[in-house]
Amino acid sequence: MKNNRRNFIKLAGLAAAGLCVAPKTTLASGGGHSPVKPGANARNAKRWAMVVDTRRINTDEDIKALQDVCHAVHNVPDVPTNQNIMWIWSAPYEECFPEQHNPYLDDDVKERSYMLLCNHCDNPPCVRVCPTKATFKRPDGIVAMDYHRCIGCRYCMAGCPYGSRSFNFGEPREYLDPTKLNPEFPTRMRGVVEKCNFCVERLAKGLQPACVEASDGAIVFGDLADKDSDVRKVLRENFTIRRKPTAGTEPSVYYII
Amino acid sequence: MHYGGKIIIGIVIFVGLLLSPFVFNVGKAYKQPELKLPANEKKCVESLEFMRTKHMQLLNEWRDWALRDGKRVYVNHEGKEFEISLQNTCMKCHKSKADFCDKCHNDAGVTPYCWDCHIQPEGLK
Ligand code: SF4
Ligand code: SF4
Ligand code: SF4
Protein backbone atom coordinates (compact mmCIF):
# COMPACT_ATOMS: atom_id res chain seq x y z
CA MET A 1 0.00 0.00 0.00
CA LYS A 2 1.28 3.35 -0.93
CA ASN A 3 1.97 5.47 2.08
CA ASN A 4 0.33 8.61 0.93
CA ARG A 5 -1.51 11.30 2.75
CA ARG A 6 -4.91 9.85 1.94
CA ASN A 7 -4.05 6.54 3.62
CA PHE A 8 -2.63 8.33 6.59
CA ILE A 9 -5.82 10.31 7.10
CA LYS A 10 -7.94 7.16 6.76
CA LEU A 11 -5.89 5.39 9.39
CA ALA A 12 -5.93 8.37 11.70
CA GLY A 13 -9.70 8.52 11.36
CA LEU A 14 -10.02 4.83 12.19
CA ALA A 15 -7.78 5.22 15.19
CA ALA A 16 -9.77 8.17 16.44
CA ALA A 17 -13.02 6.25 15.98
CA GLY A 18 -11.48 3.38 17.89
CA LEU A 19 -10.69 5.69 20.76
CA CYS A 20 -14.29 6.82 20.87
CA VAL A 21 -15.76 3.34 21.15
CA ALA A 22 -13.04 1.86 23.35
CA PRO A 23 -14.57 0.87 26.69
CA LYS A 24 -13.78 3.24 29.49
CA THR A 25 -11.55 1.07 31.61
CA THR A 26 -12.05 1.75 35.24
CA LEU A 27 -8.75 1.92 36.90
CA ALA A 28 -9.45 -0.50 39.68
CA SER A 29 -11.61 -3.06 37.94
CA GLY A 30 -9.62 -3.88 34.81
CA GLY A 31 -10.80 -7.45 34.46
CA GLY A 32 -14.31 -6.41 33.43
CA HIS A 33 -16.02 -7.05 36.77
CA SER A 34 -18.04 -4.19 38.14
CA PRO A 35 -16.21 -3.13 41.27
CA VAL A 36 -19.08 -1.29 42.96
CA LYS A 37 -22.62 -1.93 44.06
CA PRO A 38 -25.18 -0.54 46.47
CA GLY A 39 -25.21 -1.90 50.01
CA ALA A 40 -27.30 -4.99 50.63
CA ASN A 41 -29.63 -3.19 53.06
CA ALA A 42 -29.84 0.08 51.12
CA ARG A 43 -33.29 1.63 50.88
CA ASN A 44 -34.32 2.37 47.31
CA ALA A 45 -37.07 4.44 45.80
CA LYS A 46 -38.01 6.00 42.51
CA ARG A 47 -38.96 9.24 44.21
CA TRP A 48 -38.23 9.90 47.87
CA ALA A 49 -40.63 12.23 49.66
CA MET A 50 -41.46 13.40 53.15
CA VAL A 51 -44.75 14.25 54.80
CA VAL A 52 -44.70 16.37 57.96
CA ASP A 53 -47.74 16.27 60.20
CA THR A 54 -47.98 19.85 61.45
CA ARG A 55 -50.76 18.85 63.85
CA ARG A 56 -48.11 16.98 65.78
CA ILE A 57 -44.89 18.89 65.06
CA ASN A 58 -45.72 22.54 65.52
CA THR A 59 -43.79 24.20 68.31
CA ASP A 60 -40.29 25.62 68.21
CA GLU A 61 -39.33 23.04 70.86
CA ASP A 62 -40.58 20.12 68.75
CA ILE A 63 -38.58 21.35 65.81
CA LYS A 64 -35.50 22.20 67.87
CA ALA A 65 -35.41 18.61 69.11
CA LEU A 66 -35.35 17.33 65.53
CA GLN A 67 -32.81 19.95 64.55
CA ASP A 68 -30.52 18.82 67.38
CA VAL A 69 -30.68 15.25 66.11
CA CYS A 70 -30.04 16.20 62.48
CA HIS A 71 -27.25 18.63 63.27
CA ALA A 72 -25.52 16.17 65.61
CA VAL A 73 -25.60 13.39 63.03
CA HIS A 74 -24.20 15.63 60.30
CA ASN A 75 -21.73 17.67 62.35
CA VAL A 76 -23.51 20.91 61.52
CA PRO A 77 -21.85 23.78 63.40
CA ASP A 78 -23.80 26.12 65.64
CA VAL A 79 -22.55 29.58 64.70
CA PRO A 80 -23.90 32.17 67.14
CA THR A 81 -24.53 34.85 64.50
CA ASN A 82 -26.77 35.31 61.49
CA GLN A 83 -24.23 33.21 59.59
CA ASN A 84 -25.51 30.08 61.29
CA ILE A 85 -25.83 26.87 59.31
CA MET A 86 -29.31 25.33 59.11
CA TRP A 87 -30.26 21.96 57.70
CA ILE A 88 -33.64 22.04 59.41
CA TRP A 89 -35.28 24.93 61.24
CA SER A 90 -38.61 26.45 62.20
CA ALA A 91 -40.60 29.37 60.82
CA PRO A 92 -44.05 30.88 61.26
CA TYR A 93 -46.91 30.22 58.86
CA GLU A 94 -46.47 33.41 56.77
CA GLU A 95 -42.84 32.56 56.11
CA CYS A 96 -43.49 28.94 55.30
CA PHE A 97 -46.53 29.50 53.09
CA PRO A 98 -46.34 33.13 51.90
CA GLU A 99 -48.58 32.40 48.94
CA GLN A 100 -51.35 30.80 50.97
CA HIS A 101 -51.93 33.71 53.28
CA ASN A 102 -55.44 34.40 54.40
CA PRO A 103 -56.30 36.98 57.08
CA TYR A 104 -59.12 34.83 58.50
CA LEU A 105 -57.13 31.64 58.74
CA ASP A 106 -57.81 29.33 61.65
CA ASP A 107 -55.77 30.67 64.57
CA ASP A 108 -54.44 27.24 65.42
CA VAL A 109 -52.97 26.78 61.95
CA LYS A 110 -51.69 30.34 61.86
CA GLU A 111 -49.91 30.07 65.17
CA ARG A 112 -48.10 26.82 64.55
CA SER A 113 -44.37 26.73 63.86
CA TYR A 114 -43.45 24.87 60.71
CA MET A 115 -40.50 22.63 60.15
CA LEU A 116 -38.45 23.72 57.17
CA LEU A 117 -35.72 21.92 55.29
CA CYS A 118 -34.56 21.43 51.71
CA ASN A 119 -37.59 20.35 49.66
CA HIS A 120 -35.62 18.09 47.32
CA CYS A 121 -37.54 19.63 44.46
CA ASP A 122 -38.45 17.75 41.31
CA ASN A 123 -37.41 20.75 39.29
CA PRO A 124 -34.66 22.25 41.44
CA PRO A 125 -33.32 25.65 40.39
CA CYS A 126 -30.28 25.13 42.63
CA VAL A 127 -29.17 22.29 40.34
CA ARG A 128 -29.81 24.28 37.21
CA VAL A 129 -27.68 27.24 38.30
CA CYS A 130 -24.78 25.37 39.88
CA PRO A 131 -21.84 25.88 37.51
CA THR A 132 -19.77 22.98 38.83
CA LYS A 133 -22.54 20.37 39.24
CA ALA A 134 -21.61 20.23 42.91
CA THR A 135 -25.37 20.26 43.43
CA PHE A 136 -27.06 17.51 41.49
CA LYS A 137 -30.23 15.47 41.45
CA ARG A 138 -30.00 11.75 41.98
CA PRO A 139 -32.28 9.36 40.08
CA ASP A 140 -34.22 8.77 43.31
CA GLY A 141 -35.07 12.47 43.51
CA ILE A 142 -32.67 13.47 46.27
CA VAL A 143 -30.96 16.76 45.55
CA ALA A 144 -27.48 16.04 46.84
CA MET A 145 -24.32 18.05 47.19
CA ASP A 146 -20.76 17.06 46.45
CA TYR A 147 -18.89 19.32 48.84
CA HIS A 148 -15.63 18.36 47.13
CA ARG A 149 -16.70 20.30 44.09
CA CYS A 150 -18.46 23.29 45.57
CA ILE A 151 -16.59 26.49 44.80
CA GLY A 152 -18.75 28.64 47.04
CA CYS A 153 -20.13 30.85 44.30
CA ARG A 154 -23.54 30.75 46.06
CA TYR A 155 -25.57 30.81 42.83
CA CYS A 156 -27.60 27.99 44.34
CA MET A 157 -28.53 30.15 47.32
CA ALA A 158 -29.82 32.80 44.97
CA GLY A 159 -31.63 30.12 42.96
CA CYS A 160 -33.36 28.34 45.82
CA PRO A 161 -36.73 29.99 46.49
CA TYR A 162 -36.87 28.46 49.98
CA GLY A 163 -33.63 29.65 51.57
CA SER A 164 -32.73 26.03 52.19
CA ARG A 165 -28.99 26.49 51.86
CA SER A 166 -26.38 27.83 54.20
CA PHE A 167 -22.94 29.14 53.39
CA ASN A 168 -19.87 28.59 55.53
CA PHE A 169 -18.52 32.11 55.81
CA GLY A 170 -16.05 31.01 58.46
CA GLU A 171 -14.27 27.83 59.44
CA PRO A 172 -17.15 25.55 60.56
CA ARG A 173 -14.88 23.49 62.82
CA GLU A 174 -14.41 26.44 65.12
CA TYR A 175 -18.04 26.05 66.13
CA LEU A 176 -18.08 22.29 66.60
CA ASP A 177 -17.49 20.60 69.90
CA PRO A 178 -14.72 18.04 69.23
CA THR A 179 -16.07 15.81 71.98
CA LYS A 180 -19.52 15.61 70.42
CA LEU A 181 -18.65 14.89 66.80
CA ASN A 182 -20.19 12.07 64.85
CA PRO A 183 -16.99 10.31 63.72
CA GLU A 184 -18.88 8.53 60.93
CA PHE A 185 -19.69 11.71 59.02
CA PRO A 186 -17.37 14.47 57.76
CA THR A 187 -17.52 18.14 58.58
CA ARG A 188 -17.38 20.83 55.92
CA MET A 189 -14.71 23.39 55.15
CA ARG A 190 -14.91 27.13 54.88
CA GLY A 191 -16.31 28.47 51.63
CA VAL A 192 -18.83 25.76 50.77
CA VAL A 193 -22.61 25.69 50.81
CA GLU A 194 -24.43 22.95 52.68
CA LYS A 195 -27.96 21.72 53.30
CA CYS A 196 -30.17 18.77 54.25
CA ASN A 197 -29.26 15.69 52.22
CA PHE A 198 -32.36 13.59 53.06
CA CYS A 199 -29.86 11.46 54.99
CA VAL A 200 -28.50 9.64 51.91
CA GLU A 201 -25.78 8.14 54.06
CA ARG A 202 -28.41 6.60 56.36
CA LEU A 203 -30.65 5.39 53.51
CA ALA A 204 -27.58 3.63 52.07
CA LYS A 205 -27.41 1.60 55.26
CA GLY A 206 -31.10 0.83 55.40
CA LEU A 207 -31.93 3.44 58.05
CA GLN A 208 -34.62 6.12 58.00
CA PRO A 209 -33.59 9.79 57.96
CA ALA A 210 -32.59 10.88 61.45
CA CYS A 211 -35.40 13.44 61.85
CA VAL A 212 -37.99 10.88 60.73
CA GLU A 213 -36.68 8.37 63.23
CA ALA A 214 -36.79 10.96 66.01
CA SER A 215 -40.28 12.21 65.10
CA ASP A 216 -42.14 9.27 66.60
CA GLY A 217 -44.26 8.79 63.50
CA ALA A 218 -45.12 12.45 62.94
CA ILE A 219 -42.94 12.56 59.83
CA VAL A 220 -43.41 9.91 57.17
CA PHE A 221 -40.75 9.17 54.59
CA GLY A 222 -41.10 6.93 51.56
CA ASP A 223 -41.47 6.37 47.85
CA LEU A 224 -43.90 8.66 46.08
CA ALA A 225 -43.84 6.44 43.00
CA ASP A 226 -45.15 3.45 44.92
CA LYS A 227 -48.89 3.80 45.45
CA ASP A 228 -48.83 1.39 48.37
CA SER A 229 -46.12 3.27 50.26
CA ASP A 230 -46.64 4.97 53.61
CA VAL A 231 -46.25 8.45 52.13
CA ARG A 232 -48.87 7.81 49.51
CA LYS A 233 -51.18 6.47 52.19
CA VAL A 234 -50.89 9.57 54.40
CA LEU A 235 -51.20 11.83 51.37
CA ARG A 236 -54.43 10.05 50.41
CA GLU A 237 -55.90 10.31 53.86
CA ASN A 238 -54.96 13.88 54.78
CA PHE A 239 -55.11 17.36 53.34
CA THR A 240 -51.59 18.49 52.51
CA ILE A 241 -49.94 21.55 51.01
CA ARG A 242 -46.48 22.31 49.75
CA ARG A 243 -44.40 25.46 49.96
CA LYS A 244 -44.56 28.16 47.25
CA PRO A 245 -46.33 26.21 44.50
CA THR A 246 -46.00 29.11 42.06
CA ALA A 247 -42.21 28.75 42.07
CA GLY A 248 -42.82 25.65 39.98
CA THR A 249 -40.11 23.62 41.67
CA GLU A 250 -42.42 20.75 42.74
CA PRO A 251 -41.23 20.21 46.31
CA SER A 252 -41.10 16.69 47.73
CA VAL A 253 -41.85 17.82 51.26
CA TYR A 254 -45.56 17.86 52.09
CA TYR A 255 -47.28 19.39 55.11
CA ILE A 256 -50.43 17.96 56.66
CA ILE A 257 -52.44 20.93 57.88
CA MET B 1 33.24 45.82 32.13
CA HIS B 2 32.11 48.69 34.28
CA TYR B 3 30.22 46.48 36.78
CA GLY B 4 32.24 43.35 36.05
CA GLY B 5 33.17 42.57 39.64
CA LYS B 6 29.63 42.91 40.96
CA ILE B 7 28.24 40.81 38.12
CA ILE B 8 30.72 38.00 38.78
CA ILE B 9 30.00 38.05 42.53
CA GLY B 10 26.30 37.95 41.71
CA ILE B 11 26.75 34.97 39.40
CA VAL B 12 28.80 33.13 42.04
CA ILE B 13 26.11 33.69 44.70
CA PHE B 14 23.41 32.60 42.28
CA VAL B 15 25.20 29.40 41.27
CA GLY B 16 25.97 28.71 44.92
CA LEU B 17 22.29 29.01 45.87
CA LEU B 18 21.33 26.88 42.91
CA LEU B 19 23.64 24.10 44.01
CA SER B 20 23.01 24.41 47.74
CA PRO B 21 20.40 21.65 47.97
CA PHE B 22 22.81 19.23 46.32
CA VAL B 23 25.72 20.34 48.48
CA PHE B 24 23.69 19.96 51.66
CA ASN B 25 22.57 16.47 50.78
CA VAL B 26 25.89 15.14 49.50
CA GLY B 27 26.63 11.78 51.07
CA LYS B 28 23.19 11.43 52.63
CA ALA B 29 21.30 8.49 51.22
CA TYR B 30 17.55 8.93 50.74
CA LYS B 31 15.68 7.18 53.46
CA GLN B 32 12.13 6.02 52.81
CA PRO B 33 9.65 7.13 55.44
CA GLU B 34 8.81 4.41 57.92
CA LEU B 35 5.09 3.91 58.09
CA LYS B 36 3.17 2.37 60.91
CA LEU B 37 1.16 -0.43 59.35
CA PRO B 38 -2.06 -1.76 60.85
CA ALA B 39 -1.42 -4.37 63.50
CA ASN B 40 -4.37 -6.64 62.83
CA GLU B 41 -4.78 -6.42 59.10
CA LYS B 42 -2.25 -7.76 56.64
CA LYS B 43 -4.01 -6.89 53.40
CA CYS B 44 -5.32 -3.56 52.17
CA VAL B 45 -8.28 -3.07 49.86
CA GLU B 46 -6.09 -3.78 46.85
CA SER B 47 -2.48 -4.95 46.51
CA LEU B 48 0.37 -3.13 48.19
CA GLU B 49 1.83 -1.96 44.87
CA PHE B 50 -1.54 -0.72 43.71
CA MET B 51 -2.23 1.18 46.91
CA ARG B 52 1.24 2.65 46.98
CA THR B 53 1.03 4.15 43.51
CA LYS B 54 -2.69 4.60 42.95
CA HIS B 55 -4.47 5.19 46.26
CA MET B 56 -5.23 8.74 45.19
CA GLN B 57 -6.96 7.62 42.01
CA LEU B 58 -8.85 4.96 43.92
CA LEU B 59 -10.02 7.47 46.53
CA ASN B 60 -11.09 9.78 43.74
CA GLU B 61 -13.20 7.03 42.18
CA TRP B 62 -14.55 5.98 45.56
CA ARG B 63 -15.75 9.51 46.14
CA ASP B 64 -17.70 9.61 42.90
CA TRP B 65 -19.10 6.11 43.27
CA ALA B 66 -20.36 6.70 46.78
CA LEU B 67 -21.51 10.26 46.51
CA ARG B 68 -22.67 10.65 42.95
CA ASP B 69 -23.67 7.10 41.97
CA GLY B 70 -24.94 6.05 45.38
CA LYS B 71 -22.93 2.82 45.23
CA ARG B 72 -21.19 2.47 48.55
CA VAL B 73 -19.83 -1.07 48.40
CA TYR B 74 -16.52 -1.79 46.68
CA VAL B 75 -15.71 -5.30 45.45
CA ASN B 76 -11.98 -5.83 45.11
CA HIS B 77 -10.13 -8.20 42.80
CA GLU B 78 -10.52 -11.06 45.23
CA GLY B 79 -14.24 -10.52 45.51
CA LYS B 80 -14.00 -9.08 49.01
CA GLU B 81 -16.40 -6.27 49.84
CA PHE B 82 -15.67 -3.00 51.58
CA GLU B 83 -17.75 -0.01 52.52
CA ILE B 84 -16.63 2.90 50.39
CA SER B 85 -15.55 5.38 53.01
CA LEU B 86 -12.29 7.12 53.80
CA GLN B 87 -13.29 7.80 57.36
CA ASN B 88 -15.06 4.54 58.11
CA THR B 89 -13.02 2.02 56.14
CA CYS B 90 -9.48 3.27 55.45
CA MET B 91 -9.02 4.97 58.77
CA LYS B 92 -10.43 2.09 60.81
CA CYS B 93 -7.24 0.15 59.98
CA HIS B 94 -4.88 3.07 59.62
CA LYS B 95 -5.67 4.37 63.03
CA SER B 96 -3.26 7.27 62.91
CA LYS B 97 -3.07 9.91 60.24
CA ALA B 98 0.21 11.19 61.68
CA ASP B 99 1.92 7.78 61.57
CA PHE B 100 0.59 6.77 58.19
CA CYS B 101 -0.69 9.42 55.79
CA ASP B 102 1.49 12.29 56.96
CA LYS B 103 4.76 10.37 56.80
CA CYS B 104 4.75 10.02 53.02
CA HIS B 105 2.83 13.18 52.29
CA ASN B 106 5.36 15.27 54.22
CA ASP B 107 8.19 13.43 52.56
CA ALA B 108 6.74 14.04 49.11
CA GLY B 109 5.79 17.60 49.93
CA VAL B 110 2.11 17.18 49.14
CA THR B 111 -0.72 18.42 51.34
CA PRO B 112 -3.99 16.82 50.28
CA TYR B 113 -6.98 18.57 51.80
CA CYS B 114 -8.94 15.42 52.70
CA TRP B 115 -8.74 16.33 56.37
CA ASP B 116 -10.27 19.74 55.95
CA CYS B 117 -13.57 17.85 56.06
CA HIS B 118 -12.98 14.20 56.90
CA ILE B 119 -12.35 13.57 60.55
CA GLN B 120 -9.00 11.96 61.22
CA PRO B 121 -8.86 9.12 63.75
CA GLU B 122 -6.97 11.37 66.16
CA GLY B 123 -9.98 13.69 66.25
CA LEU B 124 -10.11 17.30 65.14
CA LYS B 125 -6.81 19.08 65.43
S1 SF4 C 1 -35.45 23.44 48.29
FE1 SF4 C 1 -33.93 24.80 47.39
S2 SF4 C 1 -32.01 23.73 47.76
FE2 SF4 C 1 -33.61 22.21 48.05
S3 SF4 C 1 -33.85 21.24 46.03
FE3 SF4 C 1 -35.35 22.89 46.13
S4 SF4 C 1 -34.31 24.62 45.19
FE4 SF4 C 1 -32.72 23.15 45.73
S1 SF4 D 1 -22.03 27.50 45.88
FE1 SF4 D 1 -21.35 25.42 45.39
S2 SF4 D 1 -23.23 24.21 45.21
FE2 SF4 D 1 -23.82 26.38 45.13
S3 SF4 D 1 -23.89 26.88 42.96
FE3 SF4 D 1 -21.82 27.41 43.66
S4 SF4 D 1 -20.61 25.55 43.30
FE4 SF4 D 1 -22.75 24.94 43.15
S1 SF4 E 1 -33.68 14.32 56.27
FE1 SF4 E 1 -31.77 14.02 57.37
S2 SF4 E 1 -30.51 15.72 56.68
FE2 SF4 E 1 -32.60 16.28 56.17
S3 SF4 E 1 -33.37 17.41 57.93
FE3 SF4 E 1 -33.92 15.27 58.28
S4 SF4 E 1 -32.21 14.48 59.51
FE4 SF4 E 1 -31.51 16.38 58.58
Side-chain angles (χ1 to χ4, degrees):
Chain A
M1 189 171 70
K2 255 198 357 230
N3 240 348
N4 56 22
R5 196 172 58 163
R6 177 170 296 213
N7 279 330
F8 174 78
I9 291 172
K10 269 189 204 155
L11 275 174
L14 267 179
L19 276 182
C20 296
V21 298
K24 183 181 173 283
T25 45
T26 31
L27 148 130
S29 70
H33 80 292
S34 163
V36 276
K37 57 184 193 184
N41 302 323
R43 281 171 189 260
N44 298 305
K46 280 219 182 72
R47 211 329 157 188
W48 286 116
M50 183 181 272
V51 185
V52 181
D53 189 345
T54 70
R55 295 167 306 192
R56 290 181 58 194
I57 299 182
N58 52 35
T59 63
D60 285 346
E61 297 77 60
D62 294 343
I63 297 161
K64 177 74 169 55
L66 302 176
Q67 184 192 49
D68 287 346
V69 170
C70 169
H71 286 193
V73 169
H74 298 108
N75 298 322
V76 179
D78 187 14
V79 186
T81 66
N82 60 3
Q83 298 176 357
N84 203 1
I85 311 289
M86 297 290 187
W87 284 33
I88 166 174
W89 70 103
S90 65
Y93 183 87
E94 314 83 69
E95 226 172 274
C96 188
F97 304 108
E99 294 169 357
Q100 280 121 320
H101 202 51
N102 159 359
Y104 307 108
L105 197 69
D106 173 13
D107 279 342
D108 169 48
V109 171
K110 200 153 74 184
E111 273 151 27
R112 288 177 195 165
S113 286
Y114 292 83
M115 174 183 128
L116 306 188
L117 70 169
C118 168
N119 289 289
H120 298 273
C121 309
D122 258 351
N123 180 18
C126 55
V127 170
R128 201 166 59 236
V129 298
C130 177
T132 63
K133 295 284 161 274
T135 297
F136 61 101
K137 194 171 140 206
R138 307 190 344 151
D140 60 7
I142 295 182
V143 174
M145 274 200 68
D146 183 346
Y147 303 110
H148 304 99
R149 288 199 198 181
C150 175
I151 55 171
C153 64
R154 298 162 66 201
Y155 286 9
C156 55
M157 296 178 77
C160 171
Y162 306 97
S164 296
R165 304 177 149 251
S166 306
F167 182 65
N168 285 288
F169 284 94
E171 188 55 66
R173 286 184 170 185
E174 281 173 19
Y175 300 99
L176 283 166
D177 180 350
T179 60
K180 293 200 187 116
L181 287 178
N182 172 14
E184 309 266 302
F185 199 81
T187 68
R188 264 71 54 199
M189 65 188 285
R190 179 181 178 171
V192 300
V193 163
E194 56 180 281
K195 68 170 193 75
C196 154
N197 65 354
F198 256 14
C199 287
V200 274
E201 82 287 357
R202 292 172 59 88
L203 295 173
K205 291 190 176 146
L207 299 167
Q208 291 258 31
C211 58
V212 176
E213 199 177 274
S215 74
D216 194 21
I219 310 176
V220 179
F221 191 78
D223 190 354
L224 215 50
D226 170 6
K227 66 179 185 354
D228 300 321
S229 67
D230 289 351
V231 274
R232 285 290 292 274
K233 189 162 168 284
V234 290
L235 287 176
R236 258 198 306 276
E237 292 168 359
N238 297 279
F239 176 68
T240 51
I241 52 176
R242 293 185 289 174
R243 298 186 64 197
K244 299 192 186 176
T246 57
T249 67
E250 299 291 332
S252 295
V253 177
Y254 294 75
Y255 295 89
I256 300 178
I257 298 299
Chain B
M1 286 295 272
H2 194 67
Y3 295 113
K6 283 179 186 155
I7 290 173
I8 287 169
I9 292 170
I11 289 175
V12 168
I13 292 174
F14 173 71
V15 172
L17 281 176
L18 200 68
L19 295 178
S20 61
F22 302 98
V23 176
F24 272 117
N25 287 316
V26 146
K28 285 187 207 147
Y30 171 70
K31 207 161 140 288
Q32 279 208 338
E34 279 169 27
L35 305 184
K36 198 159 168 197
L37 294 174
N40 305 320
E41 201 61 61
K42 288 282 153 279
K43 261 191 182 165
C44 198
V45 170
E46 292 288 355
S47 72
L48 179 68
E49 295 70 39
F50 183 92
M51 296 312 289
R52 208 173 253 166
T53 53
K54 294 218 168 95
H55 62 278
M56 47 301 227
Q57 280 109 312
L58 186 72
L59 287 173
N60 195 37
E61 291 205 306
W62 269 28
R63 157 175 102 187
D64 287 346
W65 281 328
L67 210 56
R68 302 195 83 93
D69 305 343
K71 301 210 169 117
R72 291 178 185 247
V73 174
Y74 178 73
V75 187
N76 78 0
H77 275 101
E78 296 176 349
K80 205 169 160 207
E81 296 184 358
F82 297 86
E83 184 193 346
I84 294 186
S85 170
L86 172 67
Q87 236 169 272
N88 301 320
T89 300
C90 307
M91 304 316 284
K92 288 278 145 76
C93 284
H94 300 289
K95 289 189 197 315
S96 163
K97 167 181 173 269
D99 285 335
F100 188 75
C101 316
D102 288 353
K103 288 265 174 79
C104 281
H105 290 162
N106 291 344
D107 197 58
V110 292
T111 40
Y113 44 79
C114 312
W115 311 103
D116 288 359
C117 296
H118 292 274
I119 300 172
Q120 61 199 69
E122 293 96 322
L124 291 190
K125 281 284 153 73

